[in-house]
Structures are given as C-alpha cells and as structure tokens.
C-alpha cells in the first residue's frame, strides 16, 4: 500500500503516533523489527508497545503529580496508550499499573482495527531520504539505523549512554549557605550556585560515596566503557581522597562570601565545593555538575542532603547511567520535532531525550498530531507551556540547555513558575489547576484536530 507517513519503531511512541495518524485517516506504514527476526537486548517478545521493565505508568494523581497530569492531558487527546492502560489496569494504589501482556495486546488490537495502517515486521537500516517519517526507535535503536542517524546529525549529537547528574529545584537550595559565583569571577555573570564544604564535611561525604549502595549495570550494558568526562562520582571518589577536589569538587578560585574575614574581605576558598549549573531557561532547575552516579536513588537523596545548602533539596531528577540512544534535541530539532537539517524526518519517544514510558508515549502522541496536521497543509499548535504536554515539548525542542542535555522526566520544574505568593504546600495544585484550565481552552475548534 502507498502510505503518507512512515513510522519506524512500534514501541510506545511509535504505536501512539501511528494511532493518532491513522485514526484521522492517514495512510501509515509502521515498521517494527521485532517479529521480523530482530530484537533489542531489553525486549522479550514481538508485541507492539512492550513495557521493557516495570509495569507502572507511575502516579495517576492529576491534581498533585506532574506525570498524573500528563495522563490526564493524554486522555483528553484520545491517547491509545492511556486507553490500553485502562483496559489492562491492575491494582496499584494511586499509581497506574498494567498487566503488560494485556496492555500490548490492547495496543495491537486497536491498531489492527485501523484500515489505513499497515504494520510491517522489518528492520530499517537507513533514514529515508524523502517522505514524511517519524523515527521512534527508542533507547535501544538498532546499530545500523543509529549510524545513519549519527551521520545525519553529526556523531557528537547522538549519545549512546546517558550520564545523568541529579537536578535540584532552585527554590529548595539554601542561599544563606550557598552563593552565586563563577570560578575566579570570570565572565560578567555569576553563573554557578556553589555549596561549600569544610575538611570534616568533605571527608564524611567522601566516605559516604565509598560506602553507598550502587545499582548494577545490566549484563548487556556492562561492556560500555566510561568516558573520563562522565565517570560516576563514586568511581572517581574510589581513586583517592582528593581526586574529587581536583575534579568536580575543585574549590580553587571560589571565594565564599559567607566566610569573609578582615584579612579576606571577599571570603575564602572552602576545602571543597559542589557546583550547580542552570539546567533550563526558566531557571527553576539546577544540575549538580559532574555528579552523574549509579548510587541507588534513596542513597543519593540521603547523601546529597548532607551537602551544606542542600539539606532540604528537592530533586526533580536523580542521577543515573544507562545505555540510552538519544539526540541532542534542543540543538537538532525544531519546535515540531523535525530534524532541522532534514525536516521530512521527525523524532518521537525516548530518542528525543524525554525519559519514561509516559513521556515517550506523550511525545509520540504529539509527533503523530503534528504529522497529521502537516499532511493537510497545516501547522499543529502545541498546547500552552503551562500544560504538561507543552512544558515537555518546549523543554525538548529548545528550552533545555543543549550543552548539558540529558534525558528528562516530566516534573513541575519544566513549567513556568506559578505566582510566588502561592504557598509551597499549594503549589502542586496551582500547577495542575492552571494546566487543566489552559488545556481546556486550547482544545477550542480553532486548533487542529
Ligand atoms: C532496559 C530499560 C528499562 C526501562 N525501564 C523503564 C521503566 O521501568 N519505566 C519507565 O517509565 N521507563 C523505562 N525505560 C525508559 C523508556 O520509557 C522505555 O525505553 C520506553 O519503552 C521508550 O519508549 P519508545 O517508544 O521511545 O521506545 P521503545 O518502546 O523501545 O520502542 C522502540 C521500538 O523500535 C524498535 N526498533 C529499534 N530499532 C529499529 C529499527 N532499526 N527498525 C525497526 N524497528 C526498530 C524496537 O524493537 C522497539 O520496539 C527503560 C528503558 C530501558 C532501556
């Protein structure tokens, strides 16, 4: 069959994009390599939209939780993943968890019922040179296609491993302890938040890193070498007591104004410093520079809250290192998820640098709607930035810092801040209520459907 759009990858994002397109009558070819003799190291079967690990879509609370809000918004836009999840739901408190076999079967059945959709079990090795295409091949994109994407984007813009440093909400950092400065006061602006440590605090922290429980690499990830630039902080700590003080915790050139004396009116250098750098244009999220880690999440929260100034830190994301193919999307993609250098190619799912089942599906949903609009000569208007969909899309397509871009879950730090006089306890409600009102207004008939 002739087709209007070629979708490569029948995982969560590809299946959702196919649904959004074909239910609007677009002719779609969905190429999925599983079931055609190939697989990835993580998938077990040939079903479309297979969940490779946990069976949870996380919190379903759309009043208090950013991912729950994303569920709500996707349901409002007739998401196949959300409909299939409802049909496959198993009890999990306030989380949305599913029977993975039933879930995948529901997705397959819904797609099979669409007359303009053809699922082909084939591996695609090269980016098509023409024709509307959505690449949704996920974090474990097959090697030949990854090479072809690397050629199109420049190899340095396609990562095969993430090295995630924790990200802290700016308003949870104690600025009575920390201070803003660049090393040696270079540049016109004071770009970093600096957390000072004395000798005793540093020694205890160093020991905490050595003693901390870490997550093991999966068997097929273990052979991936560390780059010096993205070595886990605990591995660096194991090289010697002072290794970190010559690396990411270097204190030189950082006068701490909270430690000024008559002799040193500008302040003195601490024994060690943890630096945080702005991570998004809104300035709400700050990443801990050089703190990529495989420490277990609970261990990270406990240990990183011993850092002076971060005692009450709230984390938008915790650190990690995984095998993960993803693009430097803020640099490479336009606001419609198209490759700037080859606009017939659109990317969707985790390969864009979003992180998680729900986020990958949400980006697939938006990519499908964008392509559907393009087919009829229109441009899809994204939901406002105050919604979860709008915030996620804006982050991926330009608002995240390209230099430090790493995979990201949906979280309230990606949203424009609510009014500062909203009490902390009520902020989550304020974010979700604003999003719901704005999404309802956006769904006016003036927008594409
Ligand atoms: C091991 C692992 C565990 C994870 N666990 C979780 C978790 O528990 N919870 C969570 O929220 N997120 C998890 N993630 C992250 C992420 O949410 C999932 O990977 C998610 O499935 C991504 O959706 P996707 O549609 O982008 O990619 P996928 O669901 O991986 O779909 C991509 C599809 O493309 C196919 N494909 C690849 N290359 C080609 C090619 N060249 N030609 C044709 N087809 C191709 C693949 O077979 C696959 O079906 C995990 C990731 C990994 C790698």
């Amino acid at each position: 069959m002739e087709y209007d759009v070629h979708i490569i990858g029948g995982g969560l994002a590809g299946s959702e994009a196919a649904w959004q397109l074909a239910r609007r009558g677009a002719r779609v070819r969905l190429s999925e390599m599983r079931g055609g003799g190939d697989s990835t190291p993580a998938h077990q079967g040939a079903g479309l939209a297979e969940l490779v690990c946990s069976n949870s879509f996380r919190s379903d609370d759309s009043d208090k939780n950013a991912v729950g809000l994303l569920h709500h918004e996707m349901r409002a836009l007739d998401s196949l993943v959300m409909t299939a999840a409802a049909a496959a739901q198993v009890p999990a408190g306030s989380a949305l968890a599913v029977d993975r076999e039933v879930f995948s079967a529901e997705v397959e059945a819904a797609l099979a019922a669409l007359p303009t959709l053809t699922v082909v079990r084939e591996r695609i090795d090269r980016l098509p040179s023409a024709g509307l295409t959505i690449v949704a091949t996920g974090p474990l994109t097959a090697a030949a296609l990854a090479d072809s994407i690397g050629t199109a984007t420049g190899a340095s813009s396609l990562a095969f491993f993430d090295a995630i440093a924790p990200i802290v909400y700016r308003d949870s950092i104690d600025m009575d302890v920390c201070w803003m400065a660049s090393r040696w006061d270079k540049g016109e602006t004071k770009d970093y938040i600096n957390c000072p440590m004395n000798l005793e605090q540093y020694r205890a922290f160093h020991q905490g890193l050595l003693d901390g429980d870490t997550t093991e690499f999966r068997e097929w990830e273990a052979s991936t070498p560390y780059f010096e630039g993205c070595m886990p902080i605990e591995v660096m700590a194991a090289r010697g007591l002072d290794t970190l003080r010559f690396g990411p915790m270097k204190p030189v050139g950082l006068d701490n104004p909270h430690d000024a004396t008559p002799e040193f009116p500008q302040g003195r250098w601490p024994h060690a410093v943890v630096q945080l750098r702005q991570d998004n244009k809104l300035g709400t999220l700050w990443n801990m520079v050089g703190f990529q880690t495989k420490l277990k999440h609970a261990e990270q929260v406990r240990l990183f809250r011993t850092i002076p100034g971060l005692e009450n830190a709230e984390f938008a994301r915790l650190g990690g290192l995984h095998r993960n193919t993803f693009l430097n999307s803020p640099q490479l993609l336009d606001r419609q998820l198209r490759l700037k250098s080859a606009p017939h190619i659109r990317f969707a799912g985790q390969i864009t640098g979003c992180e998680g089942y729900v986020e990958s599906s949400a980006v697939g949903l938006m990519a499908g709607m964008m392509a559907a609009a393009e087919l009829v000569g229109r441009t899809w208007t994204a939901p406002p930035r105050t919604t979860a969909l709008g915030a996620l899309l804006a982050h991926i397509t330009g608002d995240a810092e390209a230099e430090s871009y790493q995979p990201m879950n949906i979280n309230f730090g990606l949203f424009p801040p609510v009014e500062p006089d909203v009490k902390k306890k009520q902020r989550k409600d304020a974010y979700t209520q604003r999003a719901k009102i704005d999404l309802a207004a956006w769904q006016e008939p003036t927008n594409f459907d």
Side-chain angles (χ1 to χ4, degrees), residues 351-365:
I351 198 167
T352 64
C354 65
E355 165 84 30
Y357 296 154
V358 186
E359 290 83 345
S360 299
S361 309
V363 177
L365 180 151

Side-chain angles (χ1 to χ4, degrees), residues 165-168 275-279 285-290 317 404:
I167 292 197
V168 181
Q275 289 199 300
L276 293 100
R277 185 168 51 216
Q278 190 170 330
D279 202 74
L285 300 176
W286 289 66
N287 72 65
M288 297 173 67
V289 180
R317 182 182 75 187
S404 57

Side-chain angles (χ1 to χ4, degrees), residues 9 11-13 32-34 43 53-54 124 136-139 142 350 356-357 360:
L12 288 161
E32 168 53 54
M33 69 177 182
R34 288 177 295 112
H43 288 85
C53 186
S54 138
I124 303 295
T137 45
Q350 181 130 336
Y357 296 154
S360 299

Side-chain angles (χ1 to χ4, degrees), residues 7-15 31-34 38-43 45 47-58 120 122-126 136-146 218 220-221 322-324 348-352 354-361 409:
I7 300 177
I8 309 175
L12 288 161
S15 299
S31 300
E32 168 53 54
M33 69 177 182
R34 288 177 295 112
D38 290 284
S39 193
T40 78
H43 288 85
L48 298 177
E50 178 182 324
L51 303 179
V52 283
C53 186
S54 138
N55 66 332
S56 170
F57 289 101
R58 313 189 333 260
V120 186
E122 61 181 354
R123 195 187 71 217
I124 303 295
D125 287 342
R126 294 179 68 179
T137 45
L140 304 170
T141 295
L145 184 65
R218 290 179 168 83
W220 44 271
E221 289 180 314
H322 321 90
R323 166 85 174 78
N324 194 352
Q350 181 130 336
I351 198 167
T352 64
C354 65
E355 165 84 30
Y357 296 154
V358 186
E359 290 83 345
S360 299
S361 309
N409 283 131

